[in-house]
Amino acid sequence: MKYINNNLSIEKIKVQDIAKKFGTPIYCYSYKQLKENISNFKKCFKSLSPLICFAIKSNTNVHLIKEIRKLGLGADVVSMGELMMALKAGMDPKKIVFSGVGKTSHEISYAIDKNILLINAESKSEINEIERIAKFKKKIVNIGIRLNPNTDAKTLKQISTGKKENKFGVDEKIFFDLVNYSKLSKNINLRCLSVHIGSQILDHKPYEKMLKVVDRVIKKSNAKFDFIDLGGGMGISYVKNDKKLNYQKYNIAIKKFLKNHDSKIIFEPGRSIVGNIGSLVSKVIYIKENDKKDFIILDAAMNDLMRPALYGANHKTLPATKTNQTSKKIYEFVGPICESTDKFITLKKFQKLKEKDLVVMCDVGAYGMSLSSNYNLRPKPTEILIKGSTINIIKKRQKLEELI
């Protein structure tokens, strides 16, 4: 995304033209950026020959998942709906892993029937349920056990998953018990140790600590694992001063780990694959003047982009058309929903705006549409995929008639 003659463009299409043709708010995805992200991820970890399973929860659009599958990735799913979507997109079942703490009997049964690569279990009760269903179906099911390594990912507490107070995985003692239990089962084939310590991680050091814990636990367990699922969590730069995760140092740490373990690595990236491919284009409805700041009221709201309200996350915000005028007032960009948390970002020295101008919120490809809702009975926006000068509608705007 860049300015061409002062007009913000996504690949070869001007944002102004997109809004004129499809209306706002609208989610726009860049295929070129998607392809580049996947190529870069593969290149950084090429020496490991990992299985890369895209985290479907980060973006559930079936057309994007199809493109991701064509570029060689598998899928990480956390619900039956996500598993069905991955299969609909043509994902190879043997490149699908099923994670999550609360899989129901129905979900487990469905996953077993589809012969997916792994069900990553997170409790003794879940393993018992997998075993019961497998026995009933007269099948042997491949599973992983998710270890909670008690590692602080140094990220937002709302998206930390690897500390002992988090609900995910099991501690060392229970892990050893479950390994021993699985060895005695006739219907369970324990093939994987799984970990995932959080999301939006920008420092390789938590990953190094995690690998040291995994190394120690495997040695103590005296078990052989065909797969080590290291999860995802790789962060992206949302704001100017965000540092970038050093993939090279993470790769070195994994190679060092693999000197002692003959296992295939699985990654579950989501945000790092689709985060920066998406932009949300919105129109200024009103500018509401205030003593200390002006409220820029947009036609996009927290139901369209939940991250700022949920996490206090910031998304770089740009005017669709550049001018040389700067506002002397502070701008607070807000939506029309009846919640005080329905706000996106507060900025000083932003370009002077007027009503009906367009603004673009960047890096919304991950957890943008997948966290969207119909709160305040608002229809979900259109989604388009841009390839050069071609636009493909990959989801139509919902109609109020469909909701009511």
Side-chain angles (χ1 to χ4, degrees):
M1 189 163 59
K2 61 183 178 180
Y3 285 99
I4 302 171
N5 297 326
N6 292 327
N7 290 305
L8 193 61
S9 299
I10 301 167
E11 297 198 20
K12 295 180 180 179
I13 310 287
K14 288 195 295 187
V15 166
Q16 291 280 4
D17 292 343
I18 291 168
K20 192 174 180 180
K21 185 171 183 179
F22 300 102
T24 56
I26 181 169
Y27 270 88
C28 310
Y29 303 107
S30 165
Y31 177 77
K32 181 183 177 184
Q33 189 64 59
L34 174 67
K35 194 174 179 181
E36 192 177 298
N37 290 348
I38 292 175
S39 176
N40 181 54
F41 195 96
K42 286 181 175 179
K43 187 178 177 182
C44 289
F45 297 106
K46 186 179 179 181
S47 61
L48 303 174
S49 299
L51 172 59
I52 306 168
C53 295
F54 172 66
I56 300 289
K57 62 180 173 287
S58 63
N59 195 306
T60 54
N61 188 291
V62 68
H63 296 278
L64 279 180
I65 299 166
K66 280 180 182 176
E67 299 293 353
I68 289 165
R69 185 257 302 165
K70 288 174 189 174
L71 292 166
L73 273 56
D76 160 53
V77 302
V78 294
S79 71
M80 184 168 158
E82 287 187 4
L83 175 52
M84 291 172 77
M85 189 65 87
L87 293 170
K88 185 179 179 182
M91 287 287 184
D92 179 355
K94 290 304 176 188
K95 291 171 82 171
I96 298 177
V97 295
F98 195 165
S99 309
V101 299
K103 306 176 197 74
T104 65
S105 303
H106 186 47
E107 288 178 314
I108 292 167
S109 179
Y110 183 82
I112 290 172
D113 287 343
K114 296 301 175 185
N115 295 310
I116 65 170
L117 178 65
L118 290 166
I119 301 175
N120 284 338
E122 303 210 19
S123 66
K124 175 73 181 292
S125 297
E126 184 183 345
I127 288 178
N128 286 339
E129 189 62 5
I130 294 169
E131 186 179 38
R132 182 189 70 78
I133 296 168
K135 189 175 181 181
F136 176 77
K137 292 179 180 289
K138 296 178 181 175
K139 287 190 173 185
I140 297 171
V141 178
N142 295 328
I143 72 161
I145 299 174
R146 180 166 173 178
L147 172 72
N148 184 319
N150 193 25
T151 301
D152 188 353
K154 304 292 183 185
T155 185
L156 292 170
K157 67 178 182 179
Q158 297 99 321
I159 49 178
S160 172
T161 62
K163 294 163 74 176
K164 64 182 179 182
E165 62 261 35
N166 300 135
K167 68 180 180 180
F168 301 96
V170 296
D171 64 27
E172 285 185 36
K173 184 180 180 301
I174 295 173
F175 182 84
F176 297 138
D177 291 342
L178 295 182
V179 168
N180 293 330
Y181 178 84
S182 300
K183 284 178 181 176
L184 300 173
S185 174
K186 293 178 181 176
N187 295 95
I188 283 174
N189 185 15
L190 177 58
R191 299 189 66 194
C192 178
L193 181 152
S194 168
V195 283
H196 177 71
I197 59 172
S199 191
Q200 185 50 15
I201 300 169
L202 296 170
D203 187 354
H204 66 281
K205 288 176 183 175
Y207 287 123
E208 289 180 344
K209 288 180 182 177
M210 173 191 79
L211 286 166
K212 285 176 183 176
V213 174
V214 173
D215 178 59
R216 176 171 52 77
V217 168
I218 292 175
K219 286 172 181 173
K220 279 179 75 175
S221 73
N222 199 27
K224 163 99 174 53
F225 296 99
D226 296 328
F227 301 99
I228 304 295
D229 185 343
L230 296 176
M234 297 84 168
I236 63 170
S237 299
Y238 281 106
V239 291
K240 198 173 184 180
N241 295 327
D242 273 350
K243 67 176 184 177
K244 291 187 177 180
L245 176 64
N246 192 322
Y247 281 9
Q248 188 180 3
K249 287 185 178 178
Y250 187 20
N251 184 60
I252 290 167
I254 297 169
K255 286 173 82 171
K256 184 179 176 183
F257 166 83
L258 288 175
K259 285 180 181 178
N260 299 317
H261 307 285
D262 183 20
S263 304
K264 187 174 183 68
I265 296 296
I266 298 175
F267 287 122
E268 299 170 357
R271 190 190 314 270
S272 54
I273 301 298
V274 295
N276 66 349
I277 76 168
S279 306
L280 177 59
V281 181
S282 182
K283 185 185 287 183
V284 178
I285 305 173
Y286 302 118
I287 297 176
K288 186 176 179 179
E289 294 186 1
N290 192 286
D291 286 344
K292 294 183 179 179
K293 60 188 174 186
D294 285 353
F295 293 100
I296 307 299
I297 303 171
L298 303 175
D299 62 0
M302 64 188 280
N303 74 295
D304 303 304
L305 180 61
M306 185 68 169
R307 293 188 73 252
L310 192 61
Y311 304 137
N314 285 318
H315 288 269
K316 184 170 64 177
T317 302
L318 302 170
T321 304
K322 256 187 183 179
T323 67
N324 55 7
Q325 293 180 300
T326 303
S327 173
K328 293 176 182 178
K329 297 283 288 286
I330 295 169
Y331 279 169
E332 185 166 299
F333 293 83
V334 301
I337 275 180
C338 296
E339 299 281 351
S340 292
T341 51
D342 183 27
K343 58 184 180 181
F344 298 108
I345 196 166
T346 303
L347 296 170
K348 294 178 182 178
K349 296 180 180 178
F350 195 82
Q351 177 178 301
K352 191 171 178 63
L353 293 172
K354 59 184 186 296
E355 290 170 0
K356 296 187 180 177
D357 278 354
L358 298 173
V359 297
V360 180
M361 286 172 271
C362 306
D363 307 316
V364 298
Y367 307 103
M369 272 299 286
S370 66
L371 278 173
S372 66
S373 73
N374 293 121
Y375 186 45
N376 282 192
L377 213 57
R378 286 170 53 85
K380 291 186 182 182
T382 305
E383 292 176 89
I384 61 171
L385 179 62
I386 298 168
K387 292 184 177 182
S389 56
T390 304
I391 296 175
N392 297 306
I393 300 172
I394 57 175
K395 200 153 201 181
K396 291 180 180 178
R397 190 180 309 280
Q398 283 182 324
K399 293 180 180 177
L400 279 171
E401 292 79 9
E402 296 167 351
L403 297 176
I404 298 169

